[in-house]
Amino acid sequence: MLAPKARWSIGNADEMLVETFARELQIDPLVARLLVLRDIRTVPDAEQFLHGGVHYYFDPYLLDGMLPAVERIRKALQNDEFIRVYGDYDADGVSSTSLMAHLLKGLGARFDTYIPHRIREGYGLNRSAIELAKEQGVKLLITVDTGISAVQEIAYCQELGLDIIVTDHHEPPEILPQALAVINPKKPGCPYPYKHLAGVGVAFKLAHALLDRLPEELLEFAALGTVADLMPLTGENRLIVKQGLLRMQDSTYAGFRSLIGVSGIENKEVTASHIGFSLAPRINASGRLEAADIAVKLLTTSDEKEAEQIAFELDMLNKERQLIVEDMVKEAFVLAEQQQAKGLDKVIVVAKEQWNVGVVGIVASKIVEKFYRPTLVLSIDPLTGMAKGSARSIAGFDLHKALTACEEMLDHYGGHQAAAGMSLNSSHLESFTHKLNELAAAALTEQDFIPLLKADAACSLADVPIASIEQLEKLAPFGMGNPAPRFMFTDLSLGDIRTMGKEKQHLKLALSQMKEEVSCSVEAVGFGKGSLAGLIAPAAKVDVLGELSINEWNGVRKPQIMMQDFRITHMQLFDWRGAGQLSTKLSVLQNTIAAGNGNHTLTPAIVLFDEADAALFTSTAFQLGDSVPYWVVQDNEQLRPGNESAKQLEFANMQDIILYTIPRSVASLQSVIHQASGMMRCYPVFAELGPDSGSTLPSRDMFKMLYGTLQKEGSLNVQDVRLMTSFSKRSGLSPAMIQFILSVFEELGFVEKQGGFVKLHASPAKRDLTASRLYQHRLHRQEVESIVMYSSAKELEEWIADQIKKENHILEEII
């Protein structure tokens, strides 16, 4: 077995609606199914999703506050008033600011832009920036992607006689700022039908209203900010991003061309993934490490050389950012583990002095990825004691709602369900952490802390030929709210297991499946899953959940699965019989288990099938001491812990079982398998350690002959090699056979050892040979060997699996 990392959920579509869409829209049934699973219920809605154009945008004047905003801006244009666009330092804020700059430039306005410094000024409007605007003759301030929570700051603008228009998309507070106009689709009472615009989306609608037409020339900016801010790609956002991406393929803006070039995606079709993982991080790098003005300059310049230079600088900043994040993540992981050890395991809150506040959001995302807990990462200013940070959440936990419940401890906060920012005095961090954990405990169940992966359909490989995979692109662009289609494939056979990458961190599987006597094959790639390669047996049957793509190499096109998760639902057997270097194998296995499960406390369990094995184990096997737990099978077939490590563990919970020595009976092996109820992977070694090695059972005449020799000679010097060799030749008994018979005699009390000599006991008790445990083991040896030594790996795996089934059936009957 190999457990998946997440819970899997398979979509259930209305089959009649699927047939209707496929027939009416002339599309592949697979695409029709995916439309239904995206909650599209009518043919016109499906038509809009697939082919929607400019006529599907809503009237911008449906946004409450749009009319007074447009009138005031037109008045400023008419009177040649100085306008300032006040933005935010993230990619959405930079995109919004740049879009407004192009808009105002086209309208002939006298304007400039201002983005606060993340570290020196922090998020949003601040009094110093407002005073500066007043001093510099600004008459109208337009915020983009910020301002909805700046009640006091906007009141200060009014005191100074500065008009302000707020455009924002964040969750509005109970008390709204008293600006000249507040445009936010989430504002209470706003009739705008689509509530999920990004900050740049709201700015785009303002441009739409001011120009009295759809500003298609600004779609690239709107697409960049929408994807970067993780907005759902539904409704208008989908139209914005789809059309913006088309314009990016051959952008008229020097900044976009240079940014695409430095990101390494030239001569390729730009996708939403390229924005999310290549373009946006470079835009964000300026605001995280320096000032975001440089990114605005990139997106607004018309000078090709200047654009190339700025793009190069942003690329360097992004690489620097990556190194900073790497170091912070290591520190944050340690702090997160320490917090969880204290029992505060529902919401992670980590803070440290002088962490780079510009990357705390990225670090929070990394922690969520590893621990799957709502996470807050804060940097503490050692001079003021103020902690500033960012938060990322999981499904089911509303960050904005939780922060609102803690607002008495916070100086400032803002955001939405999935992401937020906040600042507070570090003296409140402990009570803040406790409060958030209490809120999460009340809102979330244990299931909520296991990631959920949703698949659109369960398929066989034959169901998804290349032609069908190509049709899936009709549903693009993919992102939040419109994820790339995922499929589940079960019972796939393995052809090859490989690791890829410089550090072998990625996994590649060759998979196949038979359907109606036709074999279909596919390659599956799992990024970051290389550590699991050692936990997959070659004969395993694999279930995979992932996205479909087409891999093209040297003109050959093949289907490919990008694995999000995979599992093996049956017990796996790794055949270590006859293998050398077992110490090395065990060391590799320990590391593999720890890396594959992300838990360094997990370890394999070793089973020794006889007390005699235990005495020889640590000296002749690995010299392990107490580092690896081992158990010994007792005469009653029960297991006893063999060392301190084993005493701290429950054998029934062990997932990786190494059957190290040969069972003395089939019943003994069956008993161990039944006691290993948590076993996922079995590693049979079946090594010979004890003195009764060999499989031939001496006849009773052989026992009598050796006994008679001892009676005649009085004693036998077993350390005299010449004597023993001579005796072996004369008797026809091998040295191993002689040793075995003498061990049985010693166990039964017939003989005693004195130094190197063996002699008959003075008054031996009358006991039958069958009373000897060694004799019984050898008696059953042939039956044991047929199972553990002479079977193939597949036969042995099937035999063990059959024992597990029998045990489960017995338990079911008892229950």
Side-chain angles (χ1 to χ4, degrees):
M1 296 178 71
L2 185 61
K5 299 297 182 185
R7 294 173 287 145
W8 294 8
S9 171
I10 311 301
N12 186 22
D14 181 333
E15 295 300 330
M16 289 185 65
L17 196 52
V18 171
E19 291 177 15
T20 299
F21 283 178
R23 182 180 64 254
E24 296 291 329
L25 299 169
Q26 294 294 296
I27 55 176
D28 189 290
L30 189 59
V31 174
R33 178 177 299 279
L34 294 169
L35 288 171
V36 173
L37 290 170
R38 277 150 179 73
D39 204 29
I40 296 170
R41 290 289 175 264
T42 67
V43 171
D45 285 346
E47 179 71 31
Q48 177 185 342
F49 188 92
L50 294 173
H51 309 295
V54 295
H55 52 288
Y56 285 107
Y57 284 95
F58 294 114
D59 182 348
Y61 286 100
L62 290 174
L63 281 161
D64 185 56
M66 183 64 77
L67 181 59
V70 169
E71 289 176 345
R72 180 64 185 88
I73 293 170
R74 285 177 175 164
K75 178 183 176 184
L77 293 171
Q78 183 179 352
N79 296 334
D80 196 32
E81 296 178 45
F82 187 24
I83 302 171
R84 175 161 292 171
V85 179
Y86 192 106
D88 185 26
Y89 38 66
D90 68 0
D92 188 11
V94 167
S95 302
S96 305
T97 304
S98 302
L99 183 150
M100 288 298 296
H102 282 283
L103 171 68
L104 293 175
K105 183 180 180 181
L107 292 170
R110 191 162 60 91
F111 76 97
D112 69 2
T113 62
Y114 185 93
I115 295 181
H117 193 281
R118 182 190 289 262
I119 297 173
R120 292 196 296 267
E121 298 176 82
Y123 173 79
L125 283 165
N126 65 81
R127 292 173 73 95
S128 296
I130 292 168
E131 290 168 357
L132 180 64
K134 180 65 177 177
E135 290 171 11
Q136 294 178 339
V138 173
K139 297 296 183 182
L140 175 62
L141 200 63
I142 304 173
T143 74
V144 288
D145 192 35
T146 189
I148 194 66
S149 299
V151 176
Q152 294 178 355
E153 290 79 7
I154 289 173
Y156 187 55
C157 286
Q158 292 177 321
E159 287 179 29
L160 297 180
L162 186 62
D163 283 347
I164 183 166
I165 295 169
V166 172
T167 73
D168 201 352
H169 74 121
H170 294 99
E171 295 293 336
E174 288 186 14
I175 299 174
L176 293 176
Q178 297 301 304
L180 186 147
V182 176
I183 306 173
N184 184 334
K186 294 177 182 175
K187 189 172 69 171
C190 178
Y192 199 74
Y194 189 70
K195 303 296 183 182
H196 305 294
L197 292 171
V200 72
V202 179
F204 183 77
K205 300 306 294 188
L206 177 57
H208 190 173
L210 275 166
L211 296 172
D212 285 325
R213 63 174 177 81
L214 187 76
E216 295 184 61
E217 70 275 15
L218 300 177
L219 279 165
E220 287 155 86
F221 302 95
L224 174 61
T226 298
V227 174
D229 215 43
L230 302 179
M231 291 297 102
L233 299 190
T234 58
E236 276 192 321
N237 284 346
R238 174 176 170 76
L239 294 174
I240 287 170
V241 174
K242 188 172 184 179
Q243 292 168 352
L245 287 171
L246 286 174
R247 294 183 66 90
M248 274 187 213
Q249 313 304 327
D250 187 22
S251 179
T252 59
Y253 297 102
F256 272 104
R257 292 196 298 273
S258 297
L259 187 63
I260 290 168
V262 81
S263 299
I265 51 178
E266 280 187 304
N267 302 320
K268 295 180 183 178
E269 181 182 349
V270 184
T271 67
S273 291
H274 288 137
I275 292 178
F277 295 105
S278 296
L279 306 186
R282 288 168 171 81
I283 293 292
N284 276 323
S286 61
R288 295 185 190 282
L289 302 187
E290 299 289 344
D293 306 81
I294 186 176
V296 174
K297 194 171 186 180
L298 170 70
L299 296 181
T300 54
T301 185
S302 58
D303 187 307
E304 201 76 38
K305 289 186 178 180
E306 183 180 41
E308 289 176 0
Q309 179 60 35
I310 296 173
F312 175 77
E313 291 176 23
L314 291 180
D315 190 48
M316 292 298 102
L317 279 175
N318 191 50
K319 289 174 181 175
E320 181 183 343
R321 187 271 307 167
Q322 290 171 332
L323 294 175
I324 292 170
V325 167
E326 188 177 329
D327 291 339
M328 280 180 59
V329 165
K330 290 176 183 176
E331 295 177 340
F333 280 176
V334 172
L335 293 176
E337 288 168 354
Q338 290 173 354
Q339 181 195 306
Q340 290 195 319
K342 296 176 183 177
L344 296 169
D345 60 350
K346 301 292 189 292
V347 177
I348 294 171
V349 181
V350 292
K352 189 176 179 181
E353 286 189 353
Q354 295 183 325
W355 265 348
N356 188 306
V357 73
V359 299
V360 288
I362 299 174
V363 176
S365 295
K366 298 286 186 183
I367 295 175
V368 172
E369 190 177 313
K370 178 177 173 63
F371 295 93
Y372 201 68
R373 296 289 189 275
T375 299
L376 293 82
V377 179
L378 303 104
S379 174
I380 302 172
D381 186 324
L383 297 178
T384 65
M386 289 301 295
K388 292 183 179 180
S390 290
R392 299 293 182 269
S393 194
I394 63 174
F397 190 70
D398 189 324
L399 269 177
H400 189 268
K401 184 178 179 182
L403 292 175
T404 301
C406 302
E407 61 183 348
E408 72 279 359
M409 298 182 232
L410 301 172
D411 279 38
H412 179 83
Y413 73 95
H416 42 78
Q417 181 276 327
M422 77 297 300
S423 61
L424 71 159
N425 194 289
S426 56
S427 62
H428 296 315
L429 278 174
E430 185 175 351
S431 54
F432 182 52
T433 303
H434 279 273
K435 178 71 171 178
L436 288 173
N437 272 271
E438 289 170 7
L439 292 168
L444 301 171
T445 67
E446 286 304 312
Q447 282 286 92
D448 291 323
F449 294 112
I450 303 172
L452 178 64
L453 273 177
K454 294 183 178 180
D456 294 284
C459 299
S460 68
L461 295 182
D463 294 333
V464 284
I466 286 180
S468 293
I469 299 174
E470 289 173 332
Q471 289 282 312
L472 298 178
E473 282 302 311
K474 291 179 179 290
L475 302 168
F478 302 119
M480 296 295 291
N482 182 39
R486 291 183 184 141
F487 303 94
M488 182 181 77
F489 302 91
T490 59
D491 202 34
L492 303 178
S493 299
L494 273 165
D496 192 18
I497 306 168
R498 295 184 189 178
T499 53
M500 306 183 300
K502 289 182 179 179
E503 299 176 2
K504 298 185 177 180
Q505 69 272 40
H506 309 308
L507 179 67
K508 189 174 187 179
L509 304 177
L511 302 169
S512 62
Q513 188 176 50
M514 290 289 294
K515 185 176 182 180
E516 296 176 356
E517 298 185 0
V518 176
S519 178
C520 297
S521 61
V522 68
E523 285 186 341
V525 176
F527 291 108
K529 300 183 186 299
S531 60
L532 297 172
L535 300 179
I536 307 172
K541 291 286 188 177
V542 184
D543 298 345
V544 171
L545 189 150
E547 299 171 12
L548 287 166
S549 62
I550 298 172
N551 183 30
E552 188 166 348
W553 180 254
N554 288 337
V556 178
R557 306 176 81 232
K558 294 181 179 179
Q560 182 174 257
I561 302 174
M562 308 306 292
M563 292 187 291
Q564 267 77 51
D565 203 3
F566 69 98
R567 68 191 181 195
I568 298 169
T569 58
H570 61 86
M571 189 280 299
Q572 296 186 83
L573 184 134
F574 297 77
D575 195 352
W576 284 10
R577 293 174 297 178
Q581 299 180 316
L582 289 171
S583 179
T584 302
K585 276 183 164 298
L586 181 61
S587 177
V588 170
L589 176 60
Q590 285 179 287
N591 293 333
T592 300
I593 293 170
N597 291 277
N599 187 343
H600 290 277
T601 63
L602 293 177
T603 181
I606 293 175
V607 175
L608 309 176
F609 280 92
D610 192 76
E611 293 287 355
D613 296 338
L616 297 167
F617 174 63
T618 53
S619 60
T620 61
F622 304 127
Q623 293 80 43
L624 295 171
D626 266 343
S627 64
V628 177
Y630 69 88
W631 281 260
V632 182
V633 180
Q634 303 175 97
D635 288 342
N636 63 359
E637 309 295 3
Q638 295 303 302
L639 289 158
R640 70 165 180 83
N643 58 3
E644 286 301 317
S645 294
K647 290 176 183 176
Q648 307 302 316
L649 300 166
E650 289 289 336
F651 183 77
N653 295 334
M654 305 305 289
Q655 298 178 358
D656 293 82
I657 308 294
I658 299 173
L659 304 176
Y660 190 71
T661 58
I662 288 188
R664 300 309 191 253
S665 67
V666 174
S668 178
L669 178 57
Q670 290 171 324
S671 177
V672 168
I673 292 169
H674 295 163
Q675 292 176 70
S677 55
M679 180 170 65
M680 293 185 175
R681 292 166 291 273
C682 181
Y683 305 80
V685 178
F686 298 137
E688 298 273 15
L689 293 185
D692 59 330
S693 60
S695 60
T696 304
L697 181 67
S699 65
R700 286 183 175 267
D701 287 340
M702 292 176 179
F703 279 95
K704 288 179 181 179
M705 180 182 68
L706 186 52
Y707 193 86
T709 301
L710 286 171
Q711 283 181 319
K712 181 179 178 181
E713 300 291 338
S715 65
L716 191 64
N717 185 356
V718 293
Q719 292 183 345
D720 187 329
V721 178
R722 277 188 174 184
L723 177 65
M724 293 304 294
T725 301
S726 175
F727 179 70
S728 176
K729 288 180 179 179
R730 285 186 284 111
S731 65
L733 300 175
S734 68
M737 189 75 79
I738 295 169
Q739 181 61 51
F740 174 74
I741 293 172
L742 291 174
S743 295
V744 171
F745 285 167
E746 183 179 11
E747 182 187 356
L748 295 174
F750 295 170
V751 302
E752 57 185 359
K753 287 184 177 179
Q754 293 180 353
F757 288 85
V758 174
K759 65 177 184 177
L760 290 176
H761 199 280
S763 53
K766 288 188 176 182
R767 300 178 69 186
D768 192 85
L769 289 175
T770 55
S772 163
R773 186 167 50 89
L774 292 176
Y775 187 88
Q776 285 289 341
H777 290 166
R778 187 64 65 86
L779 183 65
H780 297 296
R781 178 67 178 239
Q782 191 170 10
E783 183 184 7
V784 170
E785 284 186 351
S786 67
I787 295 170
V788 306
M789 296 184 74
Y790 302 130
S791 59
S792 66
K794 181 176 176 59
E795 289 169 339
L796 181 57
E797 181 175 348
E798 289 174 349
W799 188 88
I800 293 175
D802 190 51
Q803 304 308 307
I804 294 171
K805 286 180 183 176
K806 288 178 181 176
E807 177 68 8
N808 291 340
H809 181 67
I810 292 170
L811 289 173
E812 287 171 5
E813 288 187 343
I814 294 172
I815 294 170

